[in-house]
Amino acid sequence: MIDVPTLVEQARAGRPRAVARLISLVENASPQLREVMAALAPYTGRAYTVGLTGSPGVGKSTSTSALVSAYRRLGKRVAVLAVDPSSPFSGGALLGDRVRMQDHATDPDVFIRSMATRGHLGGLSWAAPQALRVLDAAGCDVILVETVGVGQSEVEVAAQADTTVVLLAPGMGDGIQAAKAGILEIGDLFVVNKADRDGADATARELNHMLGLGEAREPGDWRQPIVKTVAAREEGIDELVDALEKHRAWLAETGELTVRRRRRAAAEIEAIALAALRSRIGDLRGDRHLDALAGRVAAGELDPYGAADELVSGLTDR
Amino acid sequence: MIDVPTLVEQARAGRPRAVARLISLVENASPQLREVMAALAPYTGRAYTVGLTGSPGVGKSTSTSALVSAYRRLGKRVAVLAVDPSSPFSGGALLGDRVRMQDHATDPDVFIRSMATRGHLGGLSWAAPQALRVLDAAGCDVILVETVGVGQSEVEVAAQADTTVVLLAPGMGDGIQAAKAGILEIGDLFVVNKADRDGADATARELNHMLGLGEAREPGDWRQPIVKTVAAREEGIDELVDALEKHRAWLAETGELTVRRRRRAAAEIEAIALAALRSRIGDLRGDRHLDALAGRVAAGELDPYGAADELVSGLTDR
């Protein structure tokens, strides 16, 4: 048994090892997670979370690293959570190996962690928000959530963040791809990275055009900005931070921040409730009540729906 | 609304259209499924179900078709259910196109149907057993369940059948593959098809060796037979039917049939119960109770586990 109160106290004091250990508990779906989350709850809700998403090759990790530098210059404590929904392997080696991230490896106010979510019940919906709670309670001012790998999981990551940044790069046909993937809807900010390359202006124009095709905006609505960057040279990154801070202020002023965080919390509660119910049903294997119901169904005395009703009605009394 | 009692009556009278329509209700997860299953329950439990599994290229559909012929010669009503867990498309075209299956297309005592299970809640565990109930109640004596496509779903299909037949073919390195895939454990009978090809004896020997490596058997235990066939020429098929009938008799005598059917019914009840609970949780989206819980979690007043507990405890009272 892990001494959760001590571990939480150490994490709150910013000790990287304690933070890492708590995230490992999340990753391994420890039975003590419940205790951990209860202990963390009062200290959550302060961090600003930014999700970064985009096709492979657009420069997500370079941009993430440049953002870390920029926020560090502003004196902020920063965490990077790289979520890989396609891999069951984890431990940070993946991120630690990246040259740019190593710039921050010795900075005590930067916490970098990769996390595998495959094999988790409910995938990302389950693990990522809990890891965010740990980083939040550990006093991180800004948490950058980056997906490693591709797919619809990107949309899920976006759903975990206060602000979602969609990255594009010139000459990848990304504009059209973005429209297809429904990525226009999830982006609060767009970045055209590698803006020193041919076609950057065309990509930005195309994107601008597509964003303009949406419905007419009300006054006070958020107008999604397009920021051009060359992340490898840290160009345009201060402008990106400005745009992020503007979005953050807009979220706070309009009450949208509360709306988003409640929506996230609701999804998290649902995921946990469903996992709990699934586990209770699993526990019934070999249970005499289920056995008896199965016997009646196998004998044709009862249909499986009627049996399921009986099973469910007995479930929450346990 | 469909007139379920009439449809069930027609299906019981062996009308192919009614049977097809009921299976479509299963496939489309019709809200009337509950009513259908309740109406069918008293007429289920008579059919003998045989699952056929094996790698692509071993001759599953040819063997299935040869088995249909053999059972027809014995005067049995036969159904073929080809389950494709990888495809959302269905309707029978896939099977109807196969030359061999067309031999049976005009036989009123043969019912052939393919079924897509992708996209179903809980996949196969949900849809296949209900389709089997329909075919069972429709008076089919033997139901052959064949997977189209590859993967772990094969093991699931096996779990739906009274008897599981694992097919191998020479020269595919199948023996070793089989051991890896845990297919030795699920096979009640093994078929080495294409037995006129080089290496058939070697495959049978290898398989025999591996089966012998298992634990010592008690008297009365089932000894898995290996049948050599050339399904394309219907060679060895009568021997396969003999072996199936022996296994069926063994299942009945030892009580194993009841055990297996109860286990299947229990899994089916679980799947339905879980789907019902998932749906109830989904219905809560926008519910004031969940909203209030999410608000408290977002504010750090409550942890998500505590909130999930409250959600679950209110769930079965609804």
PDB file of all heavy atoms in Angstrom, chain A residues 88-121:
ATOM      1  N   PRO A  88       0.807   0.535 -25.669  1.00  0.00           N
ATOM      2  CA  PRO A  88       0.687   0.162 -24.263  1.00  0.00           C
ATOM      3  C   PRO A  88       1.975   0.441 -23.491  1.00  0.00           C
ATOM      4  O   PRO A  88       2.038   0.245 -22.301  1.00  0.00           O
ATOM      5  CB  PRO A  88       0.413  -1.339 -24.335  1.00  0.00           C
ATOM      6  CG  PRO A  88       1.079  -1.788 -25.587  1.00  0.00           C
ATOM      7  CD  PRO A  88       1.119  -0.604 -26.520  1.00  0.00           C
ATOM      8  N   PHE A  89       3.002   0.890 -24.188  1.00  0.00           N
ATOM      9  CA  PHE A  89       4.288   1.121 -23.536  1.00  0.00           C
ATOM     10  C   PHE A  89       4.422   2.575 -23.143  1.00  0.00           C
ATOM     11  O   PHE A  89       3.882   3.459 -23.774  1.00  0.00           O
ATOM     12  CB  PHE A  89       5.440   0.727 -24.454  1.00  0.00           C
ATOM     13  CG  PHE A  89       5.347  -0.670 -24.912  1.00  0.00           C
ATOM     14  CD1 PHE A  89       5.003  -0.953 -26.219  1.00  0.00           C
ATOM     15  CD2 PHE A  89       5.551  -1.718 -24.030  1.00  0.00           C
ATOM     16  CE1 PHE A  89       4.880  -2.260 -26.652  1.00  0.00           C
ATOM     17  CE2 PHE A  89       5.428  -3.025 -24.449  1.00  0.00           C
ATOM     18  CZ  PHE A  89       5.088  -3.297 -25.758  1.00  0.00           C
ATOM     19  N   SER A  90       5.170   2.816 -22.124  1.00  0.00           N
ATOM     20  CA  SER A  90       5.226   4.174 -21.620  1.00  0.00           C
ATOM     21  C   SER A  90       6.502   4.398 -20.851  1.00  0.00           C
ATOM     22  O   SER A  90       7.459   3.659 -20.964  1.00  0.00           O
ATOM     23  CB  SER A  90       4.028   4.416 -20.712  1.00  0.00           C
ATOM     24  OG  SER A  90       4.057   5.722 -20.250  1.00  0.00           O
ATOM     25  N   GLY A  91       6.522   5.442 -20.072  1.00  0.00           N
ATOM     26  CA  GLY A  91       7.610   5.655 -19.144  1.00  0.00           C
ATOM     27  C   GLY A  91       8.430   6.883 -19.434  1.00  0.00           C
ATOM     28  O   GLY A  91       9.303   7.252 -18.674  1.00  0.00           O
ATOM     29  N   GLY A  92       8.172   7.532 -20.562  1.00  0.00           N
ATOM     30  CA  GLY A  92       8.839   8.790 -20.790  1.00  0.00           C
ATOM     31  C   GLY A  92      10.047   8.701 -21.713  1.00  0.00           C
ATOM     32  O   GLY A  92      10.576   9.710 -22.145  1.00  0.00           O
ATOM     33  N   ALA A  93      10.490   7.492 -22.018  1.00  0.00           N
ATOM     34  CA  ALA A  93      11.671   7.319 -22.856  1.00  0.00           C
ATOM     35  C   ALA A  93      11.473   8.023 -24.190  1.00  0.00           C
ATOM     36  O   ALA A  93      12.346   8.725 -24.693  1.00  0.00           O
ATOM     37  CB  ALA A  93      11.938   5.845 -23.104  1.00  0.00           C
ATOM     38  N   LEU A  94      10.291   7.846 -24.699  1.00  0.00           N
ATOM     39  CA  LEU A  94       9.926   8.419 -25.974  1.00  0.00           C
ATOM     40  C   LEU A  94      10.160   9.919 -26.018  1.00  0.00           C
ATOM     41  O   LEU A  94      10.742  10.463 -26.951  1.00  0.00           O
ATOM     42  CB  LEU A  94       8.432   8.152 -26.149  1.00  0.00           C
ATOM     43  CG  LEU A  94       7.872   8.274 -27.523  1.00  0.00           C
ATOM     44  CD1 LEU A  94       7.368   6.903 -27.951  1.00  0.00           C
ATOM     45  CD2 LEU A  94       6.720   9.241 -27.493  1.00  0.00           C
ATOM     46  N   LEU A  95       9.681  10.611 -24.999  1.00  0.00           N
ATOM     47  CA  LEU A  95       9.854  12.057 -24.971  1.00  0.00           C
ATOM     48  C   LEU A  95      11.277  12.439 -24.598  1.00  0.00           C
ATOM     49  O   LEU A  95      11.829  13.376 -25.147  1.00  0.00           O
ATOM     50  CB  LEU A  95       8.913  12.670 -23.933  1.00  0.00           C
ATOM     51  CG  LEU A  95       7.539  13.038 -24.428  1.00  0.00           C
ATOM     52  CD1 LEU A  95       6.758  13.610 -23.283  1.00  0.00           C
ATOM     53  CD2 LEU A  95       7.626  14.031 -25.567  1.00  0.00           C
ATOM     54  N   GLY A  96      11.828  11.686 -23.662  1.00  0.00           N
ATOM     55  CA  GLY A  96      13.170  11.999 -23.187  1.00  0.00           C
ATOM     56  C   GLY A  96      14.186  11.919 -24.308  1.00  0.00           C
ATOM     57  O   GLY A  96      15.203  12.608 -24.302  1.00  0.00           O
ATOM     58  N   ASP A  97      13.869  11.077 -25.291  1.00  0.00           N
ATOM     59  CA  ASP A  97      14.789  10.893 -26.405  1.00  0.00           C
ATOM     60  C   ASP A  97      14.788  12.069 -27.370  1.00  0.00           C
ATOM     61  O   ASP A  97      15.709  12.228 -28.156  1.00  0.00           O
ATOM     62  CB  ASP A  97      14.418   9.633 -27.204  1.00  0.00           C
ATOM     63  CG  ASP A  97      14.808   8.380 -26.431  1.00  0.00           C
ATOM     64  OD1 ASP A  97      15.552   8.518 -25.450  1.00  0.00           O
ATOM     65  OD2 ASP A  97      14.371   7.292 -26.827  1.00  0.00           O
ATOM     66  N   ARG A  98      13.743  12.831 -27.306  1.00  0.00           N
ATOM     67  CA  ARG A  98      13.673  13.916 -28.276  1.00  0.00           C
ATOM     68  C   ARG A  98      14.621  15.026 -27.902  1.00  0.00           C
ATOM     69  O   ARG A  98      14.609  15.526 -26.776  1.00  0.00           O
ATOM     70  CB  ARG A  98      12.252  14.465 -28.323  1.00  0.00           C
ATOM     71  CG  ARG A  98      11.290  13.426 -28.819  1.00  0.00           C
ATOM     72  CD  ARG A  98      10.054  14.140 -29.236  1.00  0.00           C
ATOM     73  NE  ARG A  98       8.893  13.320 -29.028  1.00  0.00           N
ATOM     74  CZ  ARG A  98       7.662  13.796 -29.028  1.00  0.00           C
ATOM     75  NH1 ARG A  98       7.466  15.084 -29.184  1.00  0.00           N
ATOM     76  NH2 ARG A  98       6.649  13.005 -28.871  1.00  0.00           N
ATOM     77  N   VAL A  99      15.395  15.432 -28.862  1.00  0.00           N
ATOM     78  CA  VAL A  99      16.458  16.386 -28.592  1.00  0.00           C
ATOM     79  C   VAL A  99      15.903  17.669 -27.979  1.00  0.00           C
ATOM     80  O   VAL A  99      16.374  18.150 -26.961  1.00  0.00           O
ATOM     81  CB  VAL A  99      17.231  16.699 -29.885  1.00  0.00           C
ATOM     82  CG1 VAL A  99      18.263  17.800 -29.634  1.00  0.00           C
ATOM     83  CG2 VAL A  99      17.917  15.436 -30.393  1.00  0.00           C
ATOM     84  N   ARG A 100      14.831  18.191 -28.564  1.00  0.00           N
ATOM     85  CA  ARG A 100      14.352  19.490 -28.109  1.00  0.00           C
ATOM     86  C   ARG A 100      13.810  19.441 -26.691  1.00  0.00           C
ATOM     87  O   ARG A 100      14.013  20.379 -25.924  1.00  0.00           O
ATOM     88  CB  ARG A 100      13.278  20.020 -29.055  1.00  0.00           C
ATOM     89  CG  ARG A 100      13.869  20.326 -30.364  1.00  0.00           C
ATOM     90  CD  ARG A 100      13.109  21.191 -31.281  1.00  0.00           C
ATOM     91  NE  ARG A 100      13.970  21.358 -32.440  1.00  0.00           N
ATOM     92  CZ  ARG A 100      14.827  22.343 -32.559  1.00  0.00           C
ATOM     93  NH1 ARG A 100      14.923  23.261 -31.644  1.00  0.00           N
ATOM     94  NH2 ARG A 100      15.586  22.413 -33.624  1.00  0.00           N
ATOM     95  N   MET A 101      13.138  18.340 -26.385  1.00  0.00           N
ATOM     96  CA  MET A 101      12.590  18.243 -25.037  1.00  0.00           C
ATOM     97  C   MET A 101      13.713  18.186 -24.007  1.00  0.00           C
ATOM     98  O   MET A 101      13.519  18.573 -22.857  1.00  0.00           O
ATOM     99  CB  MET A 101      11.698  17.009 -24.907  1.00  0.00           C
ATOM    100  CG  MET A 101      10.332  17.181 -25.540  1.00  0.00           C
ATOM    101  SD  MET A 101       9.353  18.461 -24.723  1.00  0.00           S
ATOM    102  CE  MET A 101       7.952  18.536 -25.835  1.00  0.00           C
ATOM    103  N   GLN A 102      14.883  17.701 -24.437  1.00  0.00           N
ATOM    104  CA  GLN A 102      16.002  17.595 -23.495  1.00  0.00           C
ATOM    105  C   GLN A 102      16.496  18.956 -23.041  1.00  0.00           C
ATOM    106  O   GLN A 102      17.132  19.073 -21.995  1.00  0.00           O
ATOM    107  CB  GLN A 102      17.135  16.786 -24.131  1.00  0.00           C
ATOM    108  CG  GLN A 102      16.798  15.300 -24.166  1.00  0.00           C
ATOM    109  CD  GLN A 102      17.986  14.445 -24.477  1.00  0.00           C
ATOM    110  OE1 GLN A 102      18.979  14.918 -25.006  1.00  0.00           O
ATOM    111  NE2 GLN A 102      17.902  13.168 -24.143  1.00  0.00           N
ATOM    112  N   ASP A 103      16.196  19.989 -23.819  1.00  0.00           N
ATOM    113  CA  ASP A 103      16.530  21.349 -23.382  1.00  0.00           C
ATOM    114  C   ASP A 103      15.922  21.629 -22.012  1.00  0.00           C
ATOM    115  O   ASP A 103      16.444  22.429 -21.241  1.00  0.00           O
ATOM    116  CB  ASP A 103      15.963  22.402 -24.353  1.00  0.00           C
ATOM    117  CG  ASP A 103      16.587  22.300 -25.743  1.00  0.00           C
ATOM    118  OD1 ASP A 103      17.559  21.528 -25.886  1.00  0.00           O
ATOM    119  OD2 ASP A 103      16.102  22.978 -26.661  1.00  0.00           O
ATOM    120  N   HIS A 104      14.778  20.996 -21.751  1.00  0.00           N
ATOM    121  CA  HIS A 104      14.056  21.284 -20.514  1.00  0.00           C
ATOM    122  C   HIS A 104      14.253  20.227 -19.430  1.00  0.00           C
ATOM    123  O   HIS A 104      13.696  20.348 -18.347  1.00  0.00           O
ATOM    124  CB  HIS A 104      12.547  21.396 -20.809  1.00  0.00           C
ATOM    125  CG  HIS A 104      12.239  22.310 -21.948  1.00  0.00           C
ATOM    126  ND1 HIS A 104      12.452  23.663 -21.879  1.00  0.00           N
ATOM    127  CD2 HIS A 104      11.764  22.069 -23.204  1.00  0.00           C
ATOM    128  CE1 HIS A 104      12.107  24.218 -23.032  1.00  0.00           C
ATOM    129  NE2 HIS A 104      11.692  23.277 -23.854  1.00  0.00           N
ATOM    130  N   ALA A 105      15.060  19.212 -19.766  1.00  0.00           N
ATOM    131  CA  ALA A 105      15.130  18.039 -18.887  1.00  0.00           C
ATOM    132  C   ALA A 105      15.662  18.388 -17.500  1.00  0.00           C
ATOM    133  O   ALA A 105      15.304  17.744 -16.521  1.00  0.00           O
ATOM    134  CB  ALA A 105      15.986  16.951 -19.531  1.00  0.00           C
ATOM    135  N   THR A 106      16.503  19.406 -17.408  1.00  0.00           N
ATOM    136  CA  THR A 106      17.111  19.717 -16.111  1.00  0.00           C
ATOM    137  C   THR A 106      16.396  20.858 -15.404  1.00  0.00           C
ATOM    138  O   THR A 106      16.796  21.267 -14.329  1.00  0.00           O
ATOM    139  CB  THR A 106      18.588  20.108 -16.310  1.00  0.00           C
ATOM    140  OG1 THR A 106      18.643  21.171 -17.261  1.00  0.00           O
ATOM    141  CG2 THR A 106      19.393  18.916 -16.825  1.00  0.00           C
ATOM    142  N   ASP A 107      15.347  21.374 -16.005  1.00  0.00           N
ATOM    143  CA  ASP A 107      14.598  22.490 -15.406  1.00  0.00           C
ATOM    144  C   ASP A 107      13.597  21.939 -14.388  1.00  0.00           C
ATOM    145  O   ASP A 107      12.690  21.194 -14.748  1.00  0.00           O
ATOM    146  CB  ASP A 107      13.874  23.245 -16.537  1.00  0.00           C
ATOM    147  CG  ASP A 107      13.160  24.503 -16.047  1.00  0.00           C
ATOM    148  OD1 ASP A 107      12.841  24.571 -14.836  1.00  0.00           O
ATOM    149  OD2 ASP A 107      12.922  25.389 -16.874  1.00  0.00           O
ATOM    150  N   PRO A 108      13.765  22.285 -13.111  1.00  0.00           N
ATOM    151  CA  PRO A 108      12.872  21.710 -12.095  1.00  0.00           C
ATOM    152  C   PRO A 108      11.430  22.198 -12.214  1.00  0.00           C
ATOM    153  O   PRO A 108      10.536  21.598 -11.625  1.00  0.00           O
ATOM    154  CB  PRO A 108      13.486  22.178 -10.771  1.00  0.00           C
ATOM    155  CG  PRO A 108      14.308  23.369 -11.126  1.00  0.00           C
ATOM    156  CD  PRO A 108      14.765  23.183 -12.535  1.00  0.00           C
ATOM    157  N   ASP A 109      11.207  23.256 -12.972  1.00  0.00           N
ATOM    158  CA  ASP A 109       9.843  23.761 -13.122  1.00  0.00           C
ATOM    159  C   ASP A 109       9.177  23.302 -14.419  1.00  0.00           C
ATOM    160  O   ASP A 109       8.178  23.874 -14.847  1.00  0.00           O
ATOM    161  CB  ASP A 109       9.826  25.291 -13.012  1.00  0.00           C
ATOM    162  CG  ASP A 109      10.024  25.735 -11.573  1.00  0.00           C
ATOM    163  OD1 ASP A 109       9.379  25.130 -10.689  1.00  0.00           O
ATOM    164  OD2 ASP A 109      10.845  26.628 -11.329  1.00  0.00           O
ATOM    165  N   VAL A 110       9.784  22.297 -15.035  1.00  0.00           N
ATOM    166  CA  VAL A 110       9.163  21.680 -16.219  1.00  0.00           C
ATOM    167  C   VAL A 110       9.010  20.197 -15.938  1.00  0.00           C
ATOM    168  O   VAL A 110       9.980  19.531 -15.557  1.00  0.00           O
ATOM    169  CB  VAL A 110      10.026  21.895 -17.491  1.00  0.00           C
ATOM    170  CG1 VAL A 110       9.388  21.184 -18.684  1.00  0.00           C
ATOM    171  CG2 VAL A 110      10.200  23.371 -17.782  1.00  0.00           C
ATOM    172  N   PHE A 111       7.801  19.722 -16.073  1.00  0.00           N
ATOM    173  CA  PHE A 111       7.555  18.296 -15.888  1.00  0.00           C
ATOM    174  C   PHE A 111       7.110  17.701 -17.213  1.00  0.00           C
ATOM    175  O   PHE A 111       6.156  18.177 -17.822  1.00  0.00           O
ATOM    176  CB  PHE A 111       6.481  18.070 -14.818  1.00  0.00           C
ATOM    177  CG  PHE A 111       6.296  16.629 -14.504  1.00  0.00           C
ATOM    178  CD1 PHE A 111       7.074  16.013 -13.536  1.00  0.00           C
ATOM    179  CD2 PHE A 111       5.382  15.874 -15.220  1.00  0.00           C
ATOM    180  CE1 PHE A 111       6.922  14.662 -13.269  1.00  0.00           C
ATOM    181  CE2 PHE A 111       5.232  14.518 -14.968  1.00  0.00           C
ATOM    182  CZ  PHE A 111       6.002  13.910 -13.987  1.00  0.00           C
ATOM    183  N   ILE A 112       7.857  16.685 -17.674  1.00  0.00           N
ATOM    184  CA  ILE A 112       7.559  16.082 -18.977  1.00  0.00           C
ATOM    185  C   ILE A 112       7.229  14.608 -18.779  1.00  0.00           C
ATOM    186  O   ILE A 112       7.957  13.895 -18.097  1.00  0.00           O
ATOM    187  CB  ILE A 112       8.764  16.223 -19.935  1.00  0.00           C
ATOM    188  CG1 ILE A 112       9.058  17.707 -20.166  1.00  0.00           C
ATOM    189  CG2 ILE A 112       8.491  15.528 -21.263  1.00  0.00           C
ATOM    190  CD1 ILE A 112      10.348  17.968 -20.900  1.00  0.00           C
ATOM    191  N   ARG A 113       6.154  14.191 -19.366  1.00  0.00           N
ATOM    192  CA  ARG A 113       5.764  12.802 -19.170  1.00  0.00           C
ATOM    193  C   ARG A 113       5.003  12.282 -20.382  1.00  0.00           C
ATOM    194  O   ARG A 113       4.114  12.964 -20.907  1.00  0.00           O
ATOM    195  CB  ARG A 113       4.831  12.717 -17.950  1.00  0.00           C
ATOM    196  CG  ARG A 113       4.198  11.382 -17.724  1.00  0.00           C
ATOM    197  CD  ARG A 113       5.190  10.377 -17.171  1.00  0.00           C
ATOM    198  NE  ARG A 113       4.548   9.106 -16.939  1.00  0.00           N
ATOM    199  CZ  ARG A 113       4.676   8.398 -15.814  1.00  0.00           C
ATOM    200  NH1 ARG A 113       5.443   8.829 -14.851  1.00  0.00           N
ATOM    201  NH2 ARG A 113       4.074   7.248 -15.696  1.00  0.00           N
ATOM    202  N   SER A 114       5.348  11.077 -20.804  1.00  0.00           N
ATOM    203  CA  SER A 114       4.520  10.451 -21.833  1.00  0.00           C
ATOM    204  C   SER A 114       3.695   9.367 -21.166  1.00  0.00           C
ATOM    205  O   SER A 114       4.057   8.844 -20.112  1.00  0.00           O
ATOM    206  CB  SER A 114       5.363   9.884 -22.966  1.00  0.00           C
ATOM    207  OG  SER A 114       6.065   8.756 -22.523  1.00  0.00           O
ATOM    208  N   MET A 115       2.627   9.051 -21.771  1.00  0.00           N
ATOM    209  CA  MET A 115       1.644   8.186 -21.137  1.00  0.00           C
ATOM    210  C   MET A 115       0.962   7.336 -22.204  1.00  0.00           C
ATOM    211  O   MET A 115       0.502   7.861 -23.222  1.00  0.00           O
ATOM    212  CB  MET A 115       0.614   9.100 -20.492  1.00  0.00           C
ATOM    213  CG  MET A 115      -0.303   8.404 -19.576  1.00  0.00           C
ATOM    214  SD  MET A 115      -1.361   9.647 -18.831  1.00  0.00           S
ATOM    215  CE  MET A 115      -2.419   8.557 -17.935  1.00  0.00           C
ATOM    216  N   ALA A 116       0.930   6.056 -21.959  1.00  0.00           N
ATOM    217  CA  ALA A 116       0.234   5.162 -22.883  1.00  0.00           C
ATOM    218  C   ALA A 116      -1.190   4.981 -22.388  1.00  0.00           C
ATOM    219  O   ALA A 116      -1.418   4.863 -21.187  1.00  0.00           O
ATOM    220  CB  ALA A 116       0.936   3.820 -22.937  1.00  0.00           C
ATOM    221  N   THR A 117      -2.137   4.994 -23.292  1.00  0.00           N
ATOM    222  CA  THR A 117      -3.518   4.823 -22.826  1.00  0.00           C
ATOM    223  C   THR A 117      -4.187   3.612 -23.429  1.00  0.00           C
ATOM    224  O   THR A 117      -5.315   3.300 -23.096  1.00  0.00           O
ATOM    225  CB  THR A 117      -4.373   6.068 -23.143  1.00  0.00           C
ATOM    226  OG1 THR A 117      -4.343   6.287 -24.547  1.00  0.00           O
ATOM    227  CG2 THR A 117      -3.861   7.274 -22.410  1.00  0.00           C
ATOM    228  N   ARG A 118      -3.501   2.918 -24.348  1.00  0.00           N
ATOM    229  CA  ARG A 118      -4.137   1.755 -24.930  1.00  0.00           C
ATOM    230  C   ARG A 118      -4.324   0.694 -23.859  1.00  0.00           C
ATOM    231  O   ARG A 118      -3.480   0.498 -22.999  1.00  0.00           O
ATOM    232  CB  ARG A 118      -3.298   1.168 -26.069  1.00  0.00           C
ATOM    233  CG  ARG A 118      -4.105   0.217 -26.918  1.00  0.00           C
ATOM    234  CD  ARG A 118      -3.316  -0.256 -28.108  1.00  0.00           C
ATOM    235  NE  ARG A 118      -2.307  -1.227 -27.718  1.00  0.00           N
ATOM    236  CZ  ARG A 118      -1.592  -1.921 -28.580  1.00  0.00           C
ATOM    237  NH1 ARG A 118      -1.761  -1.725 -29.869  1.00  0.00           N
ATOM    238  NH2 ARG A 118      -0.692  -2.782 -28.175  1.00  0.00           N
ATOM    239  N   GLY A 119      -5.423   0.026 -23.956  1.00  0.00           N
ATOM    240  CA  GLY A 119      -5.669  -1.028 -22.981  1.00  0.00           C
ATOM    241  C   GLY A 119      -6.409  -0.507 -21.756  1.00  0.00           C
ATOM    242  O   GLY A 119      -6.906  -1.264 -20.965  1.00  0.00           O
ATOM    243  N   HIS A 120      -6.484   0.819 -21.633  1.00  0.00           N
ATOM    244  CA  HIS A 120      -7.286   1.360 -20.541  1.00  0.00           C
ATOM    245  C   HIS A 120      -8.758   1.184 -20.854  1.00  0.00           C
ATOM    246  O   HIS A 120      -9.171   1.340 -21.995  1.00  0.00           O
ATOM    247  CB  HIS A 120      -7.013   2.848 -20.359  1.00  0.00           C
ATOM    248  CG  HIS A 120      -5.891   3.099 -19.428  1.00  0.00           C
ATOM    249  ND1 HIS A 120      -6.068   3.364 -18.104  1.00  0.00           N
ATOM    250  CD2 HIS A 120      -4.573   3.089 -19.632  1.00  0.00           C
ATOM    251  CE1 HIS A 120      -4.898   3.534 -17.542  1.00  0.00           C
ATOM    252  NE2 HIS A 120      -3.964   3.373 -18.440  1.00  0.00           N
ATOM    253  N   LEU A 121      -9.518   0.905 -19.848  1.00  0.00           N
ATOM    254  CA  LEU A 121     -10.967   0.890 -20.011  1.00  0.00           C
ATOM    255  C   LEU A 121     -11.397   2.282 -20.428  1.00  0.00           C
ATOM    256  O   LEU A 121     -11.117   3.256 -19.733  1.00  0.00           O
ATOM    257  CB  LEU A 121     -11.648   0.558 -18.682  1.00  0.00           C
ATOM    258  CG  LEU A 121     -11.658  -0.906 -18.290  1.00  0.00           C
ATOM    259  CD1 LEU A 121     -12.316  -1.066 -16.932  1.00  0.00           C
ATOM    260  CD2 LEU A 121     -12.390  -1.726 -19.321  1.00  0.00           C
TER     261      LEU A 121
END
